[in-house]
Amino acid sequence: MAVLTEDALINIRRDLHQIPELALHEVQTSAYLEKIIAGFDQTHLQVKKIADLPTALLVRVEGSSPKRTVGYRTDIDALPVTEETGLPFASKHPGVMHACGHDIHMTVALGVLSYFAEHQPADNMIFFFQPAEESENGGKLAYELGVFKDQWRPDEFYGLHDNPDLPAGAIGCRMGTLFAGTTEVNIDLEGKGGHAAYPQDANDMVVAAAELINQVQTIISRSIDPIEGGVITLGKLEAGTIRNVIAGHAHIEGTIRGLTQVMIKRIDQRLQDVGEGVARSFNAKVTVALNQGGYLPVENNPELTKRFINYMKDNPDVHFVETEPAMTGEDFGYLLSKIPGTMFWLGVEDDSQLHSATLNPKESAIEAGVNAITGLLTNRMAG
């Protein structure tokens, strides 16, 4: 098979769109990727599976005169979303959808790989088809399993995320933080249940939870420098069973977002402080569990990102947009904390947002993305 044509790329994307799978269960997706890659010229390719991460796929391209190993990562999992696009190639898996555009990500990666299979690169290359980006922190799992060692360790890593707010095919990037880091929040409040008519004999955790939620709203507005970015969203509250019983337990779930890990830890600490204060005020037990192993901020390497931006700006065939940081999370941040690199946006121009049941990226972005990335990496390996 020669370099994938635009029609072939669109067909691949539509095939992938129909078989979305959740984190660590991307069996059909991984098999499909293997089948496509098996059709490429194998002269300089080496494919590797990972026993402890079986849906992951690594492909090494041997360089002609390597000075470094350049890595490219794409994510392969989907979301628990019921598709509502009405497309003829809509998801065949009920309740699961590529609502974050990972089908676009994979297709672009295959296009770039097909190019370098036919045009041997100067440097060695590693393509990482990564499971479990949406949950389970697949990048971290792979790193901790020792996947990136010896000839499989990139000296630098690149990866993209599609963006419906940018024109189709546009490339967006910025120096510094591109995506926020995250902490997952789970809060449990334990008091004493009782009859609604006798509140003096109970300890109402609905009231305690309401007070905690109100106080949390002051963390960003009164404890964080307004010039810096931070978000706390408490998106889930469960308490009580019936209208005339005072709830002795309440459970809250939420997320913290910050543009630096220092900022995230500051917010984490203030949330713990609020929990302790509510516990004392209501004579309750309040447990604030913070998953600080959540997604790290995606912090682009200064030198590599400056080179990336200059190339994209100077390329007349690329529509480059300098973007603001986003409060969305991305687990590529963990890999970039270990290996220098750059993450960037690929515009897919759609009225629906990421994680929406109606997301319908413009497929013209695929070939534009492949061309921009192959040009960038070729230029990088010449320098």
Side-chain angles (χ1 to χ4, degrees):
M1 182 186 292
V3 177
L4 291 170
T5 64
E6 182 173 27
D7 286 344
L9 289 166
I10 289 173
N11 287 334
I12 287 170
R13 182 261 162 162
R14 293 181 179 185
D15 286 346
L16 288 167
H17 190 79
Q18 294 178 74
I19 56 169
E21 296 166 293
L22 300 179
L24 301 179
H25 297 279
E26 310 93 337
V27 176
Q28 195 175 354
T29 301
S30 184
Y32 181 89
L33 294 170
E34 272 196 274
K35 183 184 76 171
I36 296 296
I37 293 166
F40 298 162
D41 185 339
Q42 301 294 302
T43 306
H44 307 294
L45 300 190
Q46 181 182 355
V47 179
K48 180 180 179 181
K49 297 284 285 184
I50 304 161
D52 293 327
L53 200 60
T55 56
L57 193 62
L58 285 164
V59 183
R60 186 175 186 271
V61 188
E62 183 181 3
S64 58
S65 52
K67 294 179 288 186
R68 63 180 71 85
T69 298
V70 177
Y72 187 85
R73 170 268 199 179
T74 182
D75 35 17
I76 71 172
D77 58 327
L79 286 160
V81 172
T82 298
E83 183 163 353
E84 298 176 6
T85 62
L87 293 168
F89 53 89
S91 170
K92 294 180 178 178
H93 295 172
V96 186
M97 177 190 174
H98 273 300
C100 202
H102 293 186
D103 51 338
I104 297 286
H105 300 184
M106 288 184 277
T107 305
V108 171
L110 289 171
V112 175
L113 177 56
S114 77
Y115 177 86
F116 287 111
E118 291 291 325
H119 305 86
Q120 186 182 16
D123 289 329
N124 298 323
M125 301 184 74
I126 301 293
F127 285 79
F128 178 36
F129 294 84
Q130 179 208 303
E133 187 279 325
E134 294 293 353
S135 63
E136 308 298 337
N137 216 328
K140 183 179 181 182
L141 287 175
Y143 191 89
E144 291 180 343
L145 285 169
V147 168
F148 305 110
K149 287 184 176 178
D150 304 323
Q151 65 174 343
W152 295 96
R153 183 177 179 88
D155 296 303
E156 55 197 59
F157 238 142
Y158 298 88
L160 68 78
H161 202 297
D162 60 325
N163 187 334
D165 293 329
L166 294 179
I171 299 294
C173 194
R174 72 184 307 274
M175 300 291 289
T177 302
L178 186 71
F179 286 93
T182 69
T183 294
E184 296 172 357
V185 178
N186 291 282
I187 305 172
D188 285 285
L189 301 94
E190 297 285 351
K192 181 182 178 183
H195 197 293
Y198 305 105
Q200 72 276 11
D201 296 329
N203 189 4
D204 192 341
M205 290 301 100
V206 169
V207 176
E211 181 62 25
L212 185 146
I213 291 168
N214 278 333
Q215 289 192 31
V216 164
Q217 307 312 307
T218 68
I219 293 176
I220 301 299
S221 65
R222 286 297 175 265
S223 299
I224 301 302
D225 186 336
I227 296 174
E228 300 182 42
V231 170
I232 302 179
T233 295
L234 300 178
K236 181 178 179 180
L237 169 63
E238 294 177 334
T241 57
I242 193 170
R243 72 180 74 241
N244 60 351
V245 173
I246 292 172
H249 175 263
H251 177 74
I252 301 170
E253 295 180 11
T255 182
I256 292 170
R257 307 288 170 110
L259 296 179
T260 67
Q261 199 61 15
V262 170
M263 170 63 67
I264 292 170
K265 288 181 178 178
R266 190 179 306 160
I267 298 171
D268 289 352
Q269 183 57 56
R270 287 293 298 121
L271 184 55
Q272 292 278 15
D273 295 342
V274 168
E276 291 171 7
V278 169
R280 288 193 297 270
S281 297
F282 287 84
N283 192 27
K285 179 182 178 182
V286 178
T287 304
V288 179
L290 302 175
N291 176 14
Q292 294 178 330
Y295 290 179
L296 297 178
V298 174
E299 298 188 62
N300 284 334
N301 176 267
E303 180 182 347
L304 296 176
T305 305
K306 183 177 181 180
R307 177 188 287 268
F308 176 97
I309 291 173
N310 287 341
Y311 172 82
M312 294 299 177
K313 281 182 173 179
D314 293 342
N315 187 336
D317 296 324
V318 173
H319 177 188
F320 178 76
V321 180
E322 191 156 346
T323 56
E324 295 298 317
M327 280 296 173
T328 47
E330 230 288 354
D331 86 335
F332 196 48
Y334 184 86
L335 292 178
L336 291 189
S337 75
K338 304 295 183 182
I339 300 169
T342 299
M343 179 159 245
F344 55 97
W345 294 108
L346 172 65
V348 293
E349 194 176 340
D350 189 47
D351 291 337
S352 297
Q353 291 301 304
L354 299 173
H355 293 208
S356 164
T358 55
L359 181 71
N360 184 18
K362 281 192 167 53
E363 293 174 324
S364 59
I366 297 171
E367 186 178 43
V370 171
N371 291 340
I373 297 161
T374 53
L376 166 85
L377 297 179
T378 300
N379 176 270
R380 171 59 179 147
M381 291 185 280

